Amino acid sequence: MTIMIPFTLVLIAVGFAVACRLCFYFAAYALPLLCAVLAGRWAFDTGAGLFSALIVAIAAFAFAVVMSQLAAMAGRPLWVRIVIFGLTIIPAAAISYLFTTAILEGLVPSAIWRFIFTIIVTIAASTGAVRRLYPFHPAA
């Protein structure tokens, strides 16, 4: 019976680690996913069927990812790259902030430590989103 308490704590830690990893992974695709959802909803609302709207959403997702990578590679001025990276960082930061706040609400009693941990995870997820979507290092 006493083995259940450490086993439960290990399972909670593993579940928390998996949830954070999924947040870190999916935060990179927040902006293309938003484009896909909006395009799919528009297609469905204008009379396309469910299957056609799904195809439009997948095409919009792929188009958003490819176009953002091409624009970041071809954008010679620094301000163009900063705008593109900003469009990637802002949704990733918002998603990771809300996700981390929701998880830490019941785990960390102190509001200041919860805020500090949330900011650390938000910065890590945002920089990870940029590194995942734009793995190259463009020459200046």
Side-chain angles (χ1 to χ4, degrees), residues 26 29-46 48-50 52-65 91 95:
F26 289 125
Y29 300 105
L31 183 64
L33 184 64
L34 177 66
C35 293
V37 168
L38 290 176
R41 186 170 178 182
W42 171 80
F44 188 75
D45 287 342
T46 56
L50 186 62
S52 299
L54 182 64
I55 290 174
V56 167
I58 291 171
F61 179 82
F63 182 76
V65 170
I95 286 175

Side-chain angles (χ1 to χ4, degrees), residues 31 106 111 114-115:
L31 183 64
R114 189 169 45 236
F115 181 73

